Amino acid sequence: MELLPDQYFDQLYARDTDLERVNEVIRSHGMPEISVASGYGRLLTFLISLSKAERVLEIGALGGYSGICLARGLSPGGELVSLELRQDYADIAQINVSAAGLGDRVRYVVGDASQSLAMLHSQGDRFDFFFIDADKENYPHYLDECIRLSNEGAIIAADNTLLRGKTIDSVKQGPSVLSMREFNRRIAQDPRLVGVHLPAYDGLALARVIKRKTEF
Ligand code: SAH
Ligand code: MG
């Protein structure tokens, strides 16, 4: 087999100079090379345009790769709010998103995401789509916060549910792994959610928030 399944599908697509630029900037600044997989980036754009989400919240910006994918799915007037711990990363993400022509659709909030989420809630902000992709120990907490900030029927996506295989390796018992296992169970079992797990790349979870029992 010459190509792995993910690679086979990826190489069918045209080059994407905006996203290639992001990963070049990430390399040149010595930032971690952990942008979302290209196929999942396409899925994020697809889901936002399909669901007509107008207010999107991202947790973990890094260099703006997923930010570009999320903002691309927005219709004019839509907004992406992106939470990032590090000011230097948020600045780089902002430059990359602007270079892709999407700067007017994205607002960065710098600081610990737990505090930013509490602030957004106290302001009465609500969102239609969430992308969880920051510190893995906090995924269960972020899930609760996203549900609290959600409009009825909102979609929650979360990256890295396999943690490069550690999630399904019973020998691994570190804090990130334990949190990710709890998060994955909650996607499957939380009565407020209708969930699905995608096992390609490093794993992606999707869920729809169902607050009123009448839906579905
Ligand atoms: N979503 C990005 C990748 C994010 S990598 C993409 O696919 O393009 C994870 C990011 O989460 C890093 O930028 C890291 O600085 C940020 N992060 C880690 N802990 C955080 C926290 N407590 N609050 C906010 N951001 C955090
Ligand atoms: Mg990720």
Side-chain angles (χ1 to χ4, degrees), residues 2 9 17 23-24 29 32 59 73 75 85 91 93 95 99 104 106 114 122 132 135 153 188-189 193 208 212 214-215:
E2 286 169 33
F9 291 115
T17 50
N23 284 334
E24 277 158 29
H29 284 78
I59 308 177
S75 42
L85 183 63
D91 291 344
I95 290 166
D104 56 337
V106 185
S114 293
S122 69
I132 302 173
D135 47 323
Q189 299 170 14
L193 302 175
R208 193 139 187 257
R212 290 190 300 270
T214 48
E215 234 194 90

CSV table of all heavy atoms in Angstrom, one decimal, residues 2 9 17 23-24 29 32 59 73 75 85 91 93 95 99 104 106 114 122 132 135 153 188-189 193 208 212 214-215:
chain,number,residue,atom,x,y,z
A,2,GLU,N,0.7,2.1,-1.0
A,2,GLU,CA,1.6,3.2,-1.1
A,2,GLU,C,1.1,4.4,-0.3
A,2,GLU,O,2.0,5.1,0.3
A,2,GLU,CB,1.7,3.7,-2.6
A,2,GLU,CG,2.5,2.8,-3.4
A,2,GLU,CD,2.4,3.1,-4.9
A,2,GLU,OE1,2.2,4.3,-5.2
A,2,GLU,OE2,2.4,2.1,-5.7
A,9,PHE,N,-7.0,10.3,0.2
A,9,PHE,CA,-8.1,11.3,-0.1
A,9,PHE,C,-7.5,12.7,-0.1
A,9,PHE,O,-7.9,13.5,-1.0
A,9,PHE,CB,-9.2,11.1,1.0
A,9,PHE,CG,-10.0,9.8,0.8
A,9,PHE,CD1,-10.0,8.9,1.8
A,9,PHE,CD2,-10.7,9.6,-0.3
A,9,PHE,CE1,-10.7,7.7,1.6
A,9,PHE,CE2,-11.5,8.4,-0.5
A,9,PHE,CZ,-11.4,7.5,0.5
A,17,THR,N,-3.4,27.5,-0.9
A,17,THR,CA,-2.3,28.4,-0.6
A,17,THR,C,-2.5,29.1,0.7
A,17,THR,O,-1.5,29.3,1.5
A,17,THR,CB,-2.0,29.4,-1.7
A,17,THR,OG1,-3.2,30.1,-2.0
A,17,THR,CG2,-1.5,28.7,-2.9
A,23,ASN,N,0.6,26.9,7.7
A,23,ASN,CA,1.6,25.9,8.3
A,23,ASN,C,3.0,26.3,8.1
A,23,ASN,O,3.9,25.9,8.9
A,23,ASN,CB,1.2,24.5,7.7
A,23,ASN,CG,0.0,23.9,8.4
A,23,ASN,OD1,-0.4,24.3,9.5
A,23,ASN,ND2,-0.8,23.1,7.7
A,24,GLU,N,3.3,27.0,7.0
A,24,GLU,CA,4.7,27.6,6.8
A,24,GLU,C,5.0,28.5,8.0
A,24,GLU,O,6.1,28.5,8.5
A,24,GLU,CB,4.8,28.3,5.5
A,24,GLU,CG,5.1,27.3,4.3
A,24,GLU,CD,4.7,28.0,3.0
A,24,GLU,OE1,4.8,29.2,2.9
A,24,GLU,OE2,4.4,27.2,2.1
A,29,HIS,N,8.0,29.9,12.9
A,29,HIS,CA,8.0,30.5,14.3
A,29,HIS,C,8.3,29.4,15.3
A,29,HIS,O,8.2,29.7,16.5
A,29,HIS,CB,6.7,31.1,14.6
A,29,HIS,CG,6.5,32.5,13.9
A,29,HIS,ND1,6.2,32.6,12.6
A,29,HIS,CD2,6.6,33.7,14.4
A,29,HIS,CE1,6.1,33.9,12.3
A,29,HIS,NE2,6.4,34.6,13.4
A,32,PRO,N,4.0,24.6,17.6
A,32,PRO,CA,3.7,23.2,17.4
A,32,PRO,C,2.9,22.9,16.2
A,32,PRO,O,2.0,23.7,15.8
A,32,PRO,CB,2.8,22.8,18.7
A,32,PRO,CG,2.5,24.1,19.3
A,32,PRO,CD,3.4,25.2,18.9
A,59,ILE,N,-12.2,27.1,20.5
A,59,ILE,CA,-11.4,27.1,21.7
A,59,ILE,C,-10.0,26.5,21.3
A,59,ILE,O,-9.9,25.3,21.0
A,59,ILE,CB,-12.0,26.3,22.8
A,59,ILE,CG1,-13.5,26.7,23.1
A,59,ILE,CG2,-11.2,26.4,24.1
A,59,ILE,CD1,-14.2,25.9,24.1
A,73,GLY,N,-16.8,29.0,6.1
A,73,GLY,CA,-18.2,28.5,6.0
A,73,GLY,C,-19.3,29.5,6.4
A,73,GLY,O,-20.4,29.3,6.2
A,75,SER,N,-21.6,32.8,6.4
A,75,SER,CA,-22.1,33.8,5.4
A,75,SER,C,-21.8,35.2,5.8
A,75,SER,O,-21.5,35.4,7.0
A,75,SER,CB,-23.7,33.6,5.2
A,75,SER,OG,-24.2,33.4,6.5
A,85,LEU,N,-5.1,31.1,24.5
A,85,LEU,CA,-4.3,31.4,25.7
A,85,LEU,C,-3.2,32.4,25.5
A,85,LEU,O,-3.0,33.3,26.3
A,85,LEU,CB,-3.7,30.1,26.3
A,85,LEU,CG,-2.9,30.2,27.6
A,85,LEU,CD1,-3.8,30.6,28.7
A,85,LEU,CD2,-2.3,28.8,27.9
A,91,ASP,N,-2.0,36.7,17.8
A,91,ASP,CA,-1.6,37.7,16.8
A,91,ASP,C,-1.2,37.1,15.5
A,91,ASP,O,-1.6,37.6,14.4
A,91,ASP,CB,-0.3,38.5,17.3
A,91,ASP,CG,-0.7,39.4,18.5
A,91,ASP,OD1,-1.9,39.7,18.7
A,91,ASP,OD2,0.3,39.8,19.2
A,93,ALA,N,-2.4,34.1,14.4
A,93,ALA,CA,-3.6,33.7,13.8
A,93,ALA,C,-4.3,34.8,13.1
A,93,ALA,O,-4.8,34.6,11.9
A,93,ALA,CB,-4.5,33.0,14.8
A,95,ILE,N,-3.1,37.5,11.8
A,95,ILE,CA,-2.4,37.9,10.5
A,95,ILE,C,-2.8,36.8,9.4
A,95,ILE,O,-3.1,37.2,8.3
A,95,ILE,CB,-0.9,38.0,10.8
A,95,ILE,CG1,-0.6,39.2,11.6
A,95,ILE,CG2,-0.1,38.0,9.4
A,95,ILE,CD1,0.8,39.2,12.2
A,99,ALA,N,-4.8,37.5,6.0
A,99,ALA,CA,-4.1,37.2,4.7
A,99,ALA,C,-5.0,36.3,3.8
A,99,ALA,O,-4.9,36.4,2.6
A,99,ALA,CB,-2.8,36.5,4.9
A,104,ASP,N,-12.2,40.2,8.8
A,104,ASP,CA,-13.3,40.9,9.3
A,104,ASP,C,-14.4,40.0,9.9
A,104,ASP,O,-15.3,40.5,10.6
A,104,ASP,CB,-14.0,41.8,8.2
A,104,ASP,CG,-14.4,40.9,7.0
A,104,ASP,OD1,-13.8,39.9,6.8
A,104,ASP,OD2,-15.3,41.4,6.3
A,106,VAL,N,-13.5,37.4,12.1
A,106,VAL,CA,-12.9,36.8,13.3
A,106,VAL,C,-12.5,37.7,14.4
A,106,VAL,O,-11.9,38.8,14.1
A,106,VAL,CB,-11.7,35.9,12.8
A,106,VAL,CG1,-11.1,35.1,14.0
A,106,VAL,CG2,-12.0,35.0,11.7
A,114,SER,N,-11.3,28.9,30.0
A,114,SER,CA,-12.3,28.7,31.0
A,114,SER,C,-12.8,30.1,31.5
A,114,SER,O,-14.0,30.3,31.7
A,114,SER,CB,-11.8,27.9,32.2
A,114,SER,OG,-11.5,26.6,31.8
A,122,SER,N,-21.6,35.3,30.9
A,122,SER,CA,-22.1,36.4,31.7
A,122,SER,C,-22.6,37.6,30.8
A,122,SER,O,-23.5,38.4,31.2
A,122,SER,CB,-21.1,36.9,32.7
A,122,SER,OG,-20.0,37.6,32.0
A,132,ILE,N,-13.9,22.6,19.7
A,132,ILE,CA,-13.1,22.5,20.8
A,132,ILE,C,-11.8,21.8,20.4
A,132,ILE,O,-11.7,20.7,19.8
A,132,ILE,CB,-13.8,21.5,21.9
A,132,ILE,CG1,-15.1,22.1,22.3
A,132,ILE,CG2,-12.9,21.3,23.1
A,132,ILE,CD1,-16.0,21.2,23.2
A,135,ASP,N,-6.5,22.6,25.4
A,135,ASP,CA,-5.9,21.7,26.3
A,135,ASP,C,-6.9,20.5,26.6
A,135,ASP,O,-8.0,20.8,26.9
A,135,ASP,CB,-5.5,22.4,27.6
A,135,ASP,CG,-6.6,23.4,28.1
A,135,ASP,OD1,-7.3,24.0,27.3
A,135,ASP,OD2,-6.8,23.4,29.3
A,153,GLY,N,-30.1,23.3,19.1
A,153,GLY,CA,-29.7,22.6,17.8
A,153,GLY,C,-28.2,22.9,17.4
A,153,GLY,O,-27.8,22.5,16.4
A,188,ALA,N,-21.2,10.3,23.5
A,188,ALA,CA,-22.1,9.1,23.2
A,188,ALA,C,-23.3,9.1,24.1
A,188,ALA,O,-24.3,8.6,23.6
A,188,ALA,CB,-21.2,7.8,23.3
A,189,GLN,N,-23.2,9.5,25.3
A,189,GLN,CA,-24.2,9.2,26.3
A,189,GLN,C,-25.0,10.4,26.9
A,189,GLN,O,-26.0,10.2,27.6
A,189,GLN,CB,-23.6,8.4,27.4
A,189,GLN,CG,-23.0,7.0,26.9
A,189,GLN,CD,-22.2,6.3,28.0
A,189,GLN,OE1,-22.2,6.6,29.1
A,189,GLN,NE2,-21.4,5.3,27.5
A,193,LEU,N,-27.2,15.6,24.2
A,193,LEU,CA,-26.5,15.5,23.0
A,193,LEU,C,-26.9,14.4,22.1
A,193,LEU,O,-27.3,13.3,22.6
A,193,LEU,CB,-25.0,15.4,23.2
A,193,LEU,CG,-24.3,16.5,24.1
A,193,LEU,CD1,-22.9,16.1,24.4
A,193,LEU,CD2,-24.4,17.8,23.4
A,208,ARG,N,-24.9,17.3,18.4
A,208,ARG,CA,-25.9,18.3,18.2
A,208,ARG,C,-26.5,18.5,19.6
A,208,ARG,O,-26.8,17.5,20.3
A,208,ARG,CB,-26.9,17.9,17.2
A,208,ARG,CG,-27.8,18.9,16.8
A,208,ARG,CD,-28.1,18.9,15.3
A,208,ARG,NE,-28.8,20.1,14.9
A,208,ARG,CZ,-30.1,20.0,14.7
A,208,ARG,NH1,-30.8,18.9,14.7
A,208,ARG,NH2,-30.8,21.2,14.4
A,212,ARG,N,-34.5,20.8,24.1
A,212,ARG,CA,-35.9,20.4,24.3
A,212,ARG,C,-36.2,19.0,23.7
A,212,ARG,O,-35.7,18.7,22.6
A,212,ARG,CB,-36.8,21.4,23.5
A,212,ARG,CG,-36.9,22.8,24.1
A,212,ARG,CD,-37.9,23.7,23.5
A,212,ARG,NE,-37.7,23.9,22.1
A,212,ARG,CZ,-36.9,24.9,21.6
A,212,ARG,NH1,-36.4,25.7,22.4
A,212,ARG,NH2,-36.8,25.0,20.3
A,214,THR,N,-38.6,17.7,22.3
A,214,THR,CA,-39.4,17.6,21.2
A,214,THR,C,-38.6,17.5,19.9
A,214,THR,O,-39.1,16.9,18.9
A,214,THR,CB,-40.3,18.9,21.0
A,214,THR,OG1,-39.5,20.0,21.2
A,214,THR,CG2,-41.4,18.9,22.1
A,215,GLU,N,-37.3,18.0,19.9
A,215,GLU,CA,-36.6,17.9,18.7
A,215,GLU,C,-36.0,16.5,18.5
A,215,GLU,O,-35.7,15.8,19.5
A,215,GLU,CB,-35.4,18.9,18.7
A,215,GLU,CG,-35.4,19.7,17.5
A,215,GLU,CD,-34.1,20.5,17.2
A,215,GLU,OE1,-33.3,19.9,16.6
A,215,GLU,OE2,-34.1,21.6,17.7
